[in-house]
């Protein structure tokens, strides 16, 4: 895992861990994996899944993924013109 991913994961874990101070790290990972619907071994949990779950767990089920939301255009014409480089 790259250093920036570790920093991001730790920053996201801090408030979650403060909310559940009686749990150890393995229990927190198991709880997050369970919330995400992960059924495999805890050793197979990816950092991407943990980061996504920590970011999205407070959002509504219909909420758009943050990485996609920044590129979303409500107007189709604007989206096409941006994709063609006509407007910024």
């Amino acid at each position: 895992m790259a250093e920036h991913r570790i920093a991001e994961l730790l920053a996201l874990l801090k408030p979650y861990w403060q909310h559940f101070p009686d749990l150890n790290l393995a229990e927190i990972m198991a709880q997050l994996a369970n919330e995400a619907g992960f059924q495999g071994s805890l050793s197979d949990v990816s950092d991407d899944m943990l980061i996504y779950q920590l970011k999205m767990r407070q959002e509504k089920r219909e909420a758009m993924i943050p990485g996609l939301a920044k590129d979303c255009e409500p107007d189709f014409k604007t989206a096409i013109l941006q994709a063609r480089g006509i407007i910024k």
Side-chain angles (χ1 to χ4, degrees):
M1 185 176 351
E3 186 177 330
H4 71 281
R5 304 287 289 172
I6 294 170
E8 181 179 18
L9 184 57
L10 289 175
L12 291 168
L13 266 175
K14 184 178 179 181
Y16 187 86
W17 208 336
Q18 288 173 337
H19 188 70
F20 299 103
D22 55 325
L23 299 179
N24 64 42
L25 183 57
E27 292 171 328
I28 287 176
M29 288 181 58
Q31 188 171 344
L32 288 169
N34 189 37
E35 285 178 11
F38 186 77
Q39 299 295 323
S41 170
L42 196 56
S43 63
D44 294 331
V45 174
S46 70
D47 57 324
D48 290 327
M49 193 274 307
L50 290 172
I51 290 170
Y52 177 80
Q53 183 63 22
L54 286 165
K55 282 183 177 180
M56 297 300 290
R57 67 184 303 272
Q58 300 297 332
E59 299 293 326
K60 292 182 181 177
R61 193 164 185 81
E62 308 82 38
M64 188 175 286
I65 299 169
L68 298 178
K70 68 177 178 57
D71 296 328
C72 184
E73 283 292 333
D75 178 35
F76 181 74
K77 182 179 177 181
T78 303
I80 292 293
L81 293 173
Q82 284 180 339
R84 292 183 178 168
I86 297 172
I87 60 173
K88 297 281 181 194

